[in-house]
Structure formats: structure tokens, C-alpha cells
Amino acid sequence: GSTLRDRIRIAAALALFGVVLFQTAWLTEDAFVTFRTVDNFVHGYGLTWNVSMRVQAYSNPLWMLLVIPFYWLSGEIYYTAIALSMTVSLLAVWILCARFARSGRSALLAAFVLVCSKAFTDYSTSGLENPLTHLLLAAFYVVFLDRGQDRRAVFYLALLAALATVNRLDAIVLFAPPLAYALWSRRGRDAVVDCCLGFTPLALWELFSLLYYGFPFPNTAYAKLATGLPLPDRLSRGVDYLYNSLSIDPLTLAVIAVGLISVLCRRDRAALSLAAGVALYLIYIIFIGGDFMSGRFLTAPFWG
């Protein structure tokens, strides 16, 4: 009956997204910064940029660690990275369609909106960490919305937030408000302990980074946040970044805006905490002056 039709439509939604990904798959040159470290590690030189230099030139440790075993097995990076990106992206979209879409038709509509977003389509492959951020964000939302059914929900939320932060440090901006809301809702020492335990992966990575590289953060973070540009100039460039996206990919920012407005109209505290993460991330994008890759930083708030 309707359940079978819904499953067929969800399958069709995944097929639509998969076909578009296959046709638009690519790797950006920036991804090869990470892949150089991957190659050095696989060949026994450690997590290095140059063989004799311990420099954390990549900004996506978790994604890098995920790529390593697949590159070790295949011995080739181009098709391996594309296949891995597509697989992770399809998993994220499957969670969206199976868990959040109210019906098969909603799943098809969601897939259609996703493929019409230039930014989301572009960075669902590209070789960057975006697909893994989308997957972790989808899993976080599943736990967040079901948090009343599991007393360890704060632990799982903190764990997913920590993994996303290891994947890319600035992702914490998206996760912090809903995690804080979940922690506030639970209150009590147990919730605080669970939250601290959940952040163990991030603590371990930062400790490793400090011992191995001598710095807690990647070189890219210091370069991005210490440009020397006056704040007004950075803000102006951040606004230009959003304007560029609006001019060539209006759907992405339109969906973000509609989502934020709809949440504000509902006045649901849990939903507002999720929207706060998206809003803070947009402010963060403006604060750092945007990025040289159009739309790259907008896929996570669009997905959220």
C-alpha cells in the first residue's frame, strides 16, 4: 500500500540524488592538501606535509582518517575520493528521506531541492569534508529529536558534535546551541559527565595535535583567523561571499532563510536552538570574511 509507495519514492529520491552526483562529481585542488598527507601516511612518512616536516596543513582530520584506509586499499585517490564522498553523501540523504521526510513525496521533494542547490551538489563530492559533516549533522538531528527516549542522549549528542568538530573545527558553531539546550533540558551532574565523555575524541585529537605538531589547531585556522585585515574589511568580504552565493545560487540562501523564519514563527525552544546554530554559523562566515570557494561554507547550514 502506501508504505510500499513511500519506499519506492524514497528509493527514487536517492536515485535522483545519486545520478546528479555521478554527473557532477569532481575534486577541488584544495582537497589535495589533505590527500598529500594521506599519501605520506600510507607510505610510512606519518601525517606530514613534507616528509621531514610535521605540519598540519589540512583542516579536516576526521575526513582524512576516513580516506586513509580506502586509499591504502585502492592505491589511487581520484576515483576513491569521489566514490567515498558519494557514499557518505547518499547515507546522509538516506537519513533525511527515511527519518525526516513525512512521506515518499516529501522525500522526492527534498531530493529535488538538494540537487537544485548548486553549493550542496558541488560539495557533496569535491573531495572535501562536507559530506561527512552532513552525515554527522543528520545523525545529530536524529538523536536530538529523539533525545527524550534515551537517557544517554546528551552523551551521543556530545560525541557526534565532537566528531564533527574533529572533522572541521568551526563546525562546533552549528552544534553548540542545540547541545547546550539538550544539556540544559537534562540538567544534573550525570548530563555534564556524559557531555564531557562525549567530547573525548576531540580532546584526544587536540592532545595528539599538540604533541605531534606542536600546535592544537591546523595551520589553516591560524591563517584564516589572523589575516591582519581590519574587522570592517573582513565583514565586507563576508557579506560579499553571501552576495556571490545569492547571485549564482539563490536557492541555497533562500532555503536557509525560509527555514530560519519558519522556526521563529513556531517558537519551539528545541527548534530555536537548532536555528541558533545555523544563524551563528552564518555570522561566523561573515566574521571570517567568507571563503575563496563559493558556497562551500553554506552547505552545512543549508543541510541543517
Side-chain angles (χ1 to χ4, degrees), residues 278-291:
V278 172
L280 285 175
Y281 198 78
L282 292 175
I283 293 171
Y284 165 76
I285 292 171
I286 295 173
F287 178 77
I288 64 173
D291 186 61

Side-chain angles (χ1 to χ4, degrees), residues 123-141:
Y123 295 102
S124 287
T125 52
S126 83
L128 297 172
E129 72 286 341
N130 297 56
L132 189 52
T133 295
H134 303 156
L135 179 60
L136 291 168
L137 194 58
F140 182 91
Y141 277 26

